[in-house]
Amino acid sequence: MAPERRDQDRDEIVSAFDEAVNMTASQMEKWLDTEESKSAGQSDGGGESVGHASGRRIVELLRTRKADLDDDDLAHMRKVTGYVHRHVEQRPEGDVTDTRWRHSLMNWGHDPQK
């Protein structure tokens, strides 16, 4: 891939991630420490949920300089963006303030009430 195209792809991935993730690293850290965060999402065998683990990775990504992002970081950023876009479309009826739907999205860095 030509370097210009690679830079454009990188910029598009980062831009989409920045739009999808509307929580700061400190907001995410505070959220990830809550019981609501720890109980949201699917886990394998009672361990940490996929979304909670992703949230910890998102905190790292938010604190990483754009120039220092590697291919694994960019792949996770694409995964986060896709998850947020899919799940925002599945918004349940009524007040979502204290729902597993919102809590799961927040584990992925997106608070739908912002």
Side-chain angles (χ1 to χ4, degrees), residues 4-21:
E4 314 79 52
R5 180 66 189 144
R6 184 169 167 77
D7 288 344
Q8 183 181 2
D9 288 348
R10 176 188 201 85
D11 290 344
E12 289 171 6
I13 292 165
V14 171
S15 177
F17 176 83
D18 288 345
E19 286 179 29
V21 175

Side-chain angles (χ1 to χ4, degrees), residues 10-72:
R10 176 188 201 85
D11 290 344
E12 289 171 6
I13 292 165
V14 171
S15 177
F17 176 83
D18 288 345
E19 286 179 29
V21 175
N22 66 0
M23 297 172 71
T24 65
S26 58
Q27 288 170 331
M28 291 224 33
E29 283 179 323
K30 186 176 178 181
W31 165 249
L32 291 169
D33 280 341
T34 68
E35 284 307 312
E36 292 90 347
S37 169
K38 293 174 184 173
S39 66
Q42 299 177 352
S43 62
D44 296 329
E48 182 179 37
S49 74
V50 173
H52 197 270
S54 177
R56 290 186 298 101
R57 177 90 188 268
I58 292 166
V59 170
E60 292 173 14
L61 292 171
L62 290 171
R63 293 198 168 128
T64 301
R65 290 177 347 141
K66 179 181 163 189
D68 295 335
L69 295 169
D70 63 23
D71 288 344
D72 285 342

Side-chain angles (χ1 to χ4, degrees), residues 97-108:
T97 302
D98 194 28
T99 61
R100 289 179 62 92
W101 174 82
R102 178 178 179 229
H103 296 165
S104 181
L105 271 169
M106 289 174 69
N107 279 353
W108 288 81

